[in-house]
Amino acid sequence: MELSYQRRRAVAYFSMEIGIDERICTYSGGLGILAGDTIRSAADLRVPMVAVTLLYRKGYFRQRLEADGWQREEPTSWAFEKLLEEESARAQVQIEGRVVHFRAWRYDVRGEGGYAVPIYFLDADLSENSEWDRGLTQSLYGGDDHYRISQEVILGIGGIRILRALGYHEIATFHLNEGHAALLTLALLDEAAKEAGRESVIQQDVESVRSRCVFTTHTPVPAGHDRFPVDLARKVLGDRNDFFALEGVLHEGHTLNMTYLALHLSRYVNGVAKKHGEVSRLMFAGYDIEAITNGVHAAAWVSAPFRELFDRHIPLWRKDNFSLRYALSVPRDQLWNAHMQCKKQLMGLVNHETGAGMDENILTIGFARRAATYKRADLLFSDMERLKRISNEVGKIQIIYGGKAHPRDHEGKELIKRIFWAKHELQHDIKVAYLENYNMTLGAIMTAGVDIWLNTPEPPMEASGTSGMKAALNGVPNLSVLDGWWIEGHIEGLTGWSVGEPVHGKGKERDHSRDAPSLYEKLEHAVIPSFYHDRDRYLNMMAYSIAINGSFFNTQRMVQEYVLNAYFNR
């Protein structure tokens, strides 16, 4: 890659995980997929961006489910040498006083017009390093706090150093996608001090760094915010009293909180939906937090039958996602035919993988999320007898699940087991399937192939959610709790249906126990009757899901907002 090409890059995008290709196993879920979709749209829009992440040779893990639903994790590997191009440049960081060497592998993401955004995957598996240091870029979200903060040194500090080694000297904005990369602020502080002829950083360097950083926070869930004891931070980062003494670096004087570090050293901060921006302002009082609602990359997540349909009726949809508004004019029989092609593909996969014997003519509900308790994947099974009655008397339903639990999330694993128990209890009344090892391919097939996309998080814990956006792009109406993006995308009876009451503020007064009865009411009196007895209305909802939500909740619009509000607005 020519140096002149590199110097034209103005934005550096840092993310702990990036999901850009099914074969590149460097993502675990929504954060990584969002990062990949962001980079795709940046390439489409010719945004002068470069991206940085870590190379995880062992990937995340392969999920195997036992007969009772208990999750087993199996190591995975992928042919990174065949998919990525090794760069000759090298860089190093210090961890606990040791020099850790690393290199970068490049993958170019090409947009619709051929413009490329390079992703650099950092790799510490070099012979110069100790065995432990070589393992720092092996596993995504693996190990303990010591392992994690050491990884974050490579991502944040090492990421900037490798960019400099590669010739990227003109970057104006550094985008921290979640707090994992917050240590890049230390590297920028050191650069500012060096430019001023000093060996240590001082308070006046903070403004210089703050003017160059943009931070996106993604979750109100406490576990999603990395916090490290100051003793561990000092051990790993070394004798950096100048850094730790700076105002805003240590939270409450004794914790290196990556979220607060990023908040304090960024000129622009945003949540990932309007409601999440509000919740984040309540969580992090005193910080100015905006909101840019997430999206998905339309061309990547629209299924083949719908791509062909859009190409015929909305030929410019790839270059201008907003033109999906014209989906309202697509003949409804063609919408249905495209949907049934997607559904037949899903039914074939489910029946082959699980032997569930599902029927393409039955209303099919999809739910695929990370298996975390606050996402309440089992809410649908709160009243089994009522669910059976609805299916037997109002209209038959069948349900498809997918999603991994974090290896250390015992409650998440128990959640999957409860779904398997419900599957057994309902076997004579409702067919339930759980697809193991949920990934990008399964996500695309599921979000396009079900008739209804279900999402039931405990509000306001859902920052945004993007699976329902993928469903909407494929004409699948949403049935969801009013949280995250659905607050903005929901028009009752037009783009889908709501479950339960809206949440106000931090949601402390909300009665979550009313959600299950609300879900059953919507199924019994709205969703099922519409699907079986008012097909014209259901087809109109499909069209409106695409025209209203598909045209807006995409990364093309999202990246344009970042360009206007964050990247070049100093």
Side-chain angles (χ1 to χ4, degrees), residues 260-324:
Y260 276 101
L261 179 61
L263 285 168
H264 188 68
L265 285 166
S266 296
R267 72 169 186 263
Y268 181 91
V269 180
N270 69 284
V272 289
K274 286 183 169 56
K275 180 63 183 179
H276 179 234
E278 176 192 334
V279 171
S280 297
R281 287 189 291 274
L282 292 171
M283 287 178 64
F284 305 114
Y287 291 96
D288 183 13
I289 302 177
E290 304 295 330
I292 295 178
T293 302
N294 279 345
V296 297
H297 188 267
W301 294 102
V302 169
S303 59
F306 277 89
R307 284 200 299 270
E308 294 169 10
L309 189 64
F310 296 161
D311 286 344
R312 282 202 306 274
H313 295 280
I314 317 169
L316 294 177
W317 71 277
R318 284 181 173 85
K319 290 186 177 180
D320 177 14
N321 293 171
F322 191 69
S323 67
L324 287 169

Side-chain angles (χ1 to χ4, degrees), residues 544-560:
Y544 276 108
S545 292
I546 300 166
I548 294 177
N549 287 341
S551 70
F552 182 81
F553 294 99
N554 53 70
T555 44
Q556 187 178 91
R557 181 269 314 158
M558 184 196 80
V559 169
Q560 288 171 335

Side-chain angles (χ1 to χ4, degrees), residues 218-222 273-280 282-283 374 376 457-464 481-485 487 501-510 512 515:
H218 283 269
T219 177
V221 180
K274 286 183 169 56
K275 180 63 183 179
H276 179 234
E278 176 192 334
V279 171
S280 297
L282 292 171
M283 287 178 64
Y374 79 88
R376 299 190 298 181
E458 184 176 294
M461 305 298 277
E462 181 82 300
S464 175
V481 168
L482 287 167
D483 200 14
W485 82 278
I487 297 174
E501 297 299 316
V503 65
H504 301 287
K506 291 186 178 180
K508 292 181 179 179
E509 306 302 318
R510 187 180 185 277
H512 302 317
D515 290 346

Side-chain angles (χ1 to χ4, degrees), residues 12 65 88 100 149 178 233 259 303 346 411 493 506 509:
L65 297 174
S88 59
V100 178
I149 192 174
E178 198 50 279
T259 299
S303 59
L346 176 60
E411 291 183 349
K506 291 186 178 180
E509 306 302 318

Side-chain angles (χ1 to χ4, degrees), residues 390-407:
I390 291 172
S391 183
N392 290 328
E393 297 179 9
V394 182
K396 295 296 290 183
I397 63 171
Q398 54 193 16
I399 311 156
I400 303 173
Y401 280 91
K404 297 177 178 179
H406 187 282

Side-chain angles (χ1 to χ4, degrees), residues 168-181:
Y168 293 94
H169 298 293
E170 307 300 325
I171 296 168
T173 296
F174 294 86
H175 186 172
L176 292 73
N177 187 43
E178 198 50 279
H180 310 115

Side-chain angles (χ1 to χ4, degrees), residues 23-277:
R23 301 165 297 170
I24 299 176
C25 303
T26 55
Y27 68 96
S28 70
L31 181 71
I33 301 300
L34 173 77
D37 283 0
T38 301
I39 294 164
R40 286 191 183 98
S41 284
D44 291 341
L45 295 166
R46 305 181 71 85
V47 177
M49 176 184 283
V50 57
V52 179
T53 188
L54 300 185
L55 179 84
Y56 304 105
R57 292 169 184 251
K58 294 181 180 178
Y60 190 41
F61 67 88
R62 180 171 183 81
Q63 180 195 49
R64 291 291 186 192
L65 297 174
E66 297 182 350
D68 64 350
W70 185 252
Q71 173 181 292
R72 298 291 182 188
E73 296 88 33
E74 296 181 354
T76 186
S77 60
W78 55 289
F80 62 91
E81 303 99 328
K82 296 179 180 179
L83 297 168
L84 312 177
E85 182 175 332
E86 183 180 0
E87 296 283 353
S88 59
R90 296 287 190 270
Q92 60 190 44
V93 293
Q94 282 208 343
I95 297 176
E96 299 176 274
R98 302 185 307 278
V99 174
V100 178
H101 303 267
F102 60 93
R103 58 184 162 182
W105 300 75
R106 193 185 82 245
Y107 181 87
D108 288 336
V109 179
R110 295 204 174 272
E112 281 290 313
Y115 185 81
V117 171
I119 305 174
Y120 292 101
F121 297 82
L122 309 187
D123 176 20
D125 193 357
L126 295 171
S127 58
E128 303 96 298
N129 295 329
S130 70
E131 195 66 28
W132 193 83
D133 292 337
R134 293 180 71 167
L136 286 174
T137 55
Q138 292 284 326
S139 301
L140 174 60
Y141 302 138
D144 55 12
D145 281 354
H146 183 203
Y147 184 84
R148 286 288 293 276
I149 192 174
S150 300
Q151 279 191 320
E152 294 181 16
V153 168
I154 295 176
L155 175 65
I157 299 174
I160 291 181
R161 290 182 180 173
I162 200 73
L163 288 179
R164 301 307 191 211
L166 288 163
Y168 293 94
H169 298 293
E170 307 300 325
I171 296 168
T173 296
F174 294 86
H175 186 172
L176 292 73
N177 187 43
E178 198 50 279
H180 310 115
L183 286 175
L184 71 78
T185 59
L186 174 53
L188 290 174
L189 285 165
D190 283 340
E191 285 188 349
K194 186 176 180 181
E195 288 173 11
R198 286 182 273 102
E199 292 186 0
S200 58
V201 300
I202 59 176
Q203 196 65 40
Q204 71 185 52
D205 296 324
V206 170
E207 279 307 316
S208 169
V209 171
R210 185 181 287 134
S211 70
R212 302 166 71 192
C213 292
V214 167
F215 172 48
T216 300
T217 178
H218 283 269
T219 177
V221 180
H225 301 274
D226 286 341
R227 299 177 295 270
F228 302 108
V230 65
D231 290 345
L232 175 61
R234 288 182 180 276
K235 176 185 176 185
V236 170
L237 294 175
D239 185 20
R240 292 308 308 266
N241 289 328
D242 57 335
F243 172 61
F244 292 115
L246 290 177
E247 180 185 346
V249 168
L250 290 180
H251 181 53
E252 298 178 340
H254 55 74
T255 303
L256 182 61
N257 183 307
M258 293 305 196
T259 299
Y260 276 101
L261 179 61
L263 285 168
H264 188 68
L265 285 166
S266 296
R267 72 169 186 263
Y268 181 91
V269 180
N270 69 284
V272 289
K274 286 183 169 56
K275 180 63 183 179
H276 179 234

